[in-house]
Amino acid sequence: MKFVSVRDFRAKSGKVWSDLAREKDFLLTSNGKPIALVSAVSEENMEDSLAALRQVRAMIAVERMQNRSMAKGTSKMTLKEINAQIAAVRKER
């Protein structure tokens, strides 16, 4: 995948856009750190591309929650323990 700095993006935007047609994706960076993924789309595939991106983001979020739960040991809680925790938090509010 091609990396493009914000500076190059501003200074050489025409070249970046023409490269995008060939590369299909590039990573936009600021101070060497990734800030955005730019991906080529068309009118025909725009909605499908957005739906796929959102689905992957949701899958990553669920995986992170599962990993945190396993690390904390909360993945072994029973339904009764979970409901007790929920009730306690609601009572505090």
Side-chain angles (χ1 to χ4, degrees):
M1 177 176 292
K2 184 174 181 169
F3 290 74
V4 177
S5 70
V6 171
R7 178 179 291 150
D8 285 344
F9 186 66
R10 272 187 264 150
K12 305 172 188 173
S13 60
K15 181 179 180 332
V16 171
W17 291 130
S18 64
D19 288 351
L20 181 60
R22 185 179 67 257
E23 299 281 335
K24 302 298 180 209
D25 302 298
F26 68 83
L27 195 61
L28 187 62
T29 62
S30 178
N31 296 320
K33 296 181 181 177
I35 60 169
L37 175 64
V38 180
S39 185
V41 296
S42 66
E43 287 184 47
E44 294 82 27
N45 72 5
M46 181 183 65
E47 290 298 326
D48 291 337
S49 295
L50 285 172
L53 179 61
R54 290 175 180 143
Q55 183 177 12
V56 169
R57 283 181 176 163
M59 289 169 43
I60 290 169
V62 167
E63 184 177 346
R64 285 181 181 159
M65 285 188 289
Q66 289 172 334
N67 289 340
R68 281 194 305 256
S69 176
M70 289 171 51
K72 289 182 174 182
T74 56
S75 62
K76 297 176 183 172
M77 291 175 69
T78 66
L79 183 56
K80 187 175 181 177
E81 291 170 323
I82 293 169
N83 287 331
Q85 286 285 333
I86 292 170
V89 169
R90 286 181 177 164
K91 188 175 183 179
E92 286 179 15
R93 289 183 183 174

